[in-house]
Amino acid sequence: MAELLEIRNLRIEATIWPPGEAARDVPIVDDISFTLARGKVIGLIGESGAGKSTIGLAALGYGRGGVRITGGEVRLDGQDILSLGRGGLRSVRGARVAYVAQSAAAAFNPAHRIGDQVIEAAIRHGILDRAAARRRAAHLFEVLGLPDPERFGARYPHQVSGGQLQRAMTAMALLPGPELVVFDEPTTALDVTTQIDVLAAIKAAIAETGTAAIYVTHDLAVVAQVADDIMVLRQGRMVEHGPAEKIITDPEAAYTRRLVTVRTAEGAEAEDQSDRLLDIDGVTARYGELTVLSDVTMHLPRGQTLAVVGESGSGKSTLARVVTGLLPPAGGRVFYRGRPLPPALRHRTRDDLRAIQMISQMADTAMNPRHTVAQIIGRPLRFYFGLRSRRRRDRVAELLHQIELDPSLAHRYPAELSGGQKQRVAIARALAAEPEIILCDEPTSALDPLVADGILKLLLRLQAETGTSYLFITHDIAIVRAIADSVAVLHRGRVVRFGPKREVLAPPFDDYTDLLLESVPELRTGWLESVLRTRRMGSAGH
Amino acid sequence: MTARGIPVGAWIGLAGVGLALVCAAFAPWLAPYGESEIVGDIWQPVGGDFVLGTDNIGRDLLSRMIYGARTTIFVAMAATLLSFSLGTLLSFTAAVLRGWPDQALSRLNDLMMSIPTLIFALVVLAVLPQEMWILILVMAVLDSTRVFRLGRAVAVDIAVMDFVEAARLRGEGTVWIIFREILPNALTPLLAEFGLRFAFSILFLSTLSFLGLGIQPPAADWGGMVRDNKDGIIFGIPAALIPGAAIAVLTVSINLVVDWLSNRTASLKGGRS
């Protein structure tokens, strides 16, 4: 059978302007070759900067943000896409090859109805007339499991949820009946319980329309559910390429093996959890009229880790704001060492502030881009302990050593560090205050899996060394399993479940915890089907 | 930073600004004649005894230009620096404190801006004694309303960033947040605005001088020189155009330098935007 897509020796370059040096070209993607048969799905997987999205877009003959396709061939059904002119490309894009972006919320125009945007490409290309396009859209909405498929298109993007919007975008891509669809991390921005639905919908739609697909993601467990073949990429080069089953169960390259067994961080669960350092007692929090937390009660034992797990909108970050004093609660109190903490930040003493430090999700924005690493880490030393000049420099070097960074990085600016290094500096800044409690607000969710694993290991080691307690906010059950001593499950601002890890993560479950746990993708093919089957059986039984 | 890394435009700008600064600094040594010394006939042509000719009462135009650079640049620079200090400090305070201080400052600023600048300045300067420091102060206060607008807009954006929140969590005071967290990140747009405002200050000073409320004779300044010699234009005498051209060249030069500086600071240190 003839191959639909054939990519041979693809090379993509970009020009960079390092400060103080001459501009030069660097390869983003180098020497990538693969073929894709009709109706098949290939998964491109790798860390950020691996060039996976760039390759996906190259299938549309497109180079994003100034990158140029400088070598190789991209053939669609034997036709060289790269030699097509603007007009030729326009007739291919959206009609024969379609694209589904990571953030549907950013990709939809908020001023137009969803339905009009979904059918636009098919009408522009003259594939369907308006009435037929609307009928097909309604059909695709149904296949994708969207509510009220006949009238769904009449809504505006802000009136539907993120998961629904992502499915609408899939409908948009599939509507003109393309031969190839490029999915660029379509479920990455979604919650796990939503991700599983979208994943199932995408898989069903691919099967129904018989289109081929390139599925780009950094999550091996996700791609294992949809892809026939998987290509592992690293720094723009191919590491390994083969059938999905083989990559997962029997990887050859060392890098792939590391990806497969990525979670190596593991802490033992503490037995005695009676020494309470932080008590959150009946906290209710509001933003204006909107109640975000209602009657939340939990406690954090000294020297241990309390994981607060929940989906976006569950109020877990708001809880951190209440504990730090950024958002005084509408009701309830927070006790530190049995003593109530003043609700508002400005009433807390400097020592209270020192004792509770925070690490946030985006290390990028959490550090002043115009301060050097030494200034960032040195400020708490000066502020809380009055350390100056020589002694401060020494302590900064000591802290950098402790977080496994080279002391020579002290003079760099945050922009000159990698994502993992930035998060380490943020940890060092928190450690500099010699805190009792560190609030970790999704510190690893913006990082690649291997880097995230390193950060978790570091946090565990630091806890063992310094006895610091962590209030760890996350949406990732795997992290909870790895590091928590006790767990609180938050759902819509309420504590669904709280207790030692061994009790919370063991049956019998309540409905929500059950849903949350089973939605976490497992690294085996066929996982998606088995979950969906159990669910159907479950709902049939009810 | 090597000399080769500086683009051509910036070189031109640096040359223009440099020339003006040298004239301003060494005026008594550079000028062939005194500032208000009458040395010849009125409106003698360019070339001949006097390089740029003479003005409406027979003073050497080149000497007046050189001394004029001194007055013009000093007053405009002082007014701009003052307006930036004032505008930046107040706007950042408003952005960091929010609440009623923000409301009070912002509404006061709106009130000031709603009165046309030139009329405001004319009224105030006509009433107050005509001294240079009063002139500088009036220009600075009027200009600071524009700086306030920009400064507040920039600072409000920065004040909600995580690193400012981290500073608040640490317990830092308002002064630290304004000068150490926000100011370094607001520098790029402020610097660009500084160049523009400085140019506007020169123009505004020249306007005031032209109307007779700026620098008082016999002291030379470029705007005043345009006024002194404007009648000559009818007779085809270019004496008014020379200080006019100097104002234009200095304005353009400053903007070339500022463009380059703001590009440079934005690309260094991976600054935001």
Side-chain angles (χ1 to χ4, degrees), chain B residues 251-264:
Chain B
T251 310
V252 170
S253 300
I254 291 165
N255 276 293
L256 286 171
V257 174
V258 167
D259 277 357
W260 164 64
L261 278 180
S262 51
N263 277 340
R264 219 166 77 82

Side-chain angles (χ1 to χ4, degrees), chain B residues 46-271:
Chain B
V46 172
D49 293 345
F50 308 103
V51 179
L52 293 178
T54 56
D55 72 354
N56 62 329
I57 53 172
R59 294 171 293 193
D60 177 39
L61 202 63
L62 178 63
S63 304
R64 301 268 301 161
M65 286 292 295
I66 292 171
Y67 277 103
R70 175 176 255 195
T71 326
T72 307
I73 292 175
F74 170 71
V75 173
M77 183 61 89
T80 318
L81 282 175
L82 206 58
S83 76
F84 264 76
S85 312
L86 196 66
T88 313
L89 188 68
L90 291 180
S91 65
F92 284 12
T93 310
V96 171
L97 294 179
R98 303 306 291 263
W100 69 262
D102 183 20
Q103 283 298 325
L105 284 169
S106 295
R107 297 297 81 80
L108 180 69
N109 193 57
D110 289 348
L111 191 71
M112 299 270 294
M113 285 184 91
S114 64
I115 304 168
T117 318
L118 188 57
I119 294 174
F120 200 134
L122 289 180
V123 170
V124 173
L125 287 173
V127 172
L128 294 173
Q130 298 197 323
E131 292 192 42
M132 195 183 275
W133 68 270
I134 290 180
L135 176 67
I136 292 173
L137 204 65
V138 169
M139 284 174 63
V141 169
L142 288 174
D143 226 20
S144 68
T145 57
R146 271 77 182 165
V147 179
F148 182 92
R149 268 284 168 89
L150 175 80
R152 188 180 169 280
V154 173
V156 160
D157 266 3
I158 299 172
V160 296
M161 306 262 308
D162 286 355
F163 61 83
V164 178
E165 199 158 85
R168 283 185 211 273
L169 281 179
R170 196 158 59 226
E172 300 283 5
T174 310
V175 173
W176 171 279
I177 290 179
I178 288 179
F179 286 102
R180 295 306 189 86
E181 304 289 348
I182 294 183
L183 186 60
N185 290 289
L187 225 44
T188 303
L190 285 178
L191 205 61
E193 182 73 4
F194 187 88
L196 270 180
R197 286 283 137 211
F198 183 50
F200 280 131
S201 274
I202 293 176
L203 296 178
F204 191 55
L205 175 64
S206 303
T207 311
L208 287 174
S209 299
F210 183 86
L211 293 172
L213 285 163
I215 306 295
Q216 294 308 306
D221 90 285
W222 293 349
M225 289 168 69
V226 176
R227 178 198 52 194
D228 292 344
N229 295 300
K230 68 177 193 300
D231 296 335
I233 295 172
I234 307 167
F235 311 111
I237 292 156
L241 302 183
I242 293 168
I247 293 170
V249 168
L250 182 59
T251 310
V252 170
S253 300
I254 291 165
N255 276 293
L256 286 171
V257 174
V258 167
D259 277 357
W260 164 64
L261 278 180
S262 51
N263 277 340
R264 219 166 77 82
T265 49
S267 66
L268 272 182
K269 303 165 194 172

